Amino acid sequence: MVFRRKKTDYKLGWNYLVSEYKKNFDAQEDKIQTLWESYFAMPFIFNYSDSDDIDSKRSLHIGSKDREIPDIILRSNHKDICTIELKRWNYQ
């Protein structure tokens, strides 16, 4: 069975993210990361499972020497599907 969301569900999630962005615009990066991890787990926004599907600050090896540590890695069926690097807006 395929679960389909109603347009109102997407609108609710989008409006929530916009209101959170406005409230936390100047927050420190670690607080923003914690917030985004919780957003990804919310069923009315992204619906990823906290423990299995959201991985934070894990080291990724690229090639023989290089490594990256993205802020958040989203997983599905025990496979990495998306890496997210959070950045703070700079007015300069």
Side-chain angles (χ1 to χ4, degrees):
M1 179 188 320
V2 176
F3 175 73
R4 297 191 187 267
R5 292 186 184 188
K6 298 176 188 175
K7 283 187 178 184
T8 55
D9 293 340
Y10 289 114
K11 189 174 182 179
L12 173 69
W14 176 255
N15 288 339
Y16 180 78
L17 287 175
V18 169
S19 70
E20 286 291 297
Y21 170 78
K22 289 177 181 177
K23 285 192 289 189
N24 297 292
F25 180 76
D26 289 329
Q28 295 297 315
E29 185 177 339
D30 50 332
K31 180 180 179 186
I32 297 294
Q33 178 163 342
T34 302
L35 287 169
W36 271 101
E37 289 172 11
S38 70
Y39 302 153
F40 284 119
M42 291 180 179
F44 67 96
I45 301 179
F46 296 106
N47 201 25
Y48 283 92
S49 166
D50 275 334
S51 59
D52 296 332
D53 298 338
I54 302 170
D55 199 355
S56 64
K57 299 290 185 183
R58 178 168 45 100
S59 180
L60 296 177
H61 295 280
I62 302 170
S64 61
K65 296 181 182 178
D66 297 334
R67 72 180 180 109
E68 296 292 327
I69 303 174
D71 292 323
I72 300 171
I73 301 171
L74 297 179
R75 300 173 51 82
S76 179
N77 297 321
H78 307 289
K79 293 182 182 180
D80 296 350
I81 59 170
C82 181
T83 59
I84 298 155
E85 185 66 27
L86 301 169
K87 296 294 179 195
R88 188 171 180 171
W89 177 260
N90 186 348
Y91 290 108
Q92 298 175 359

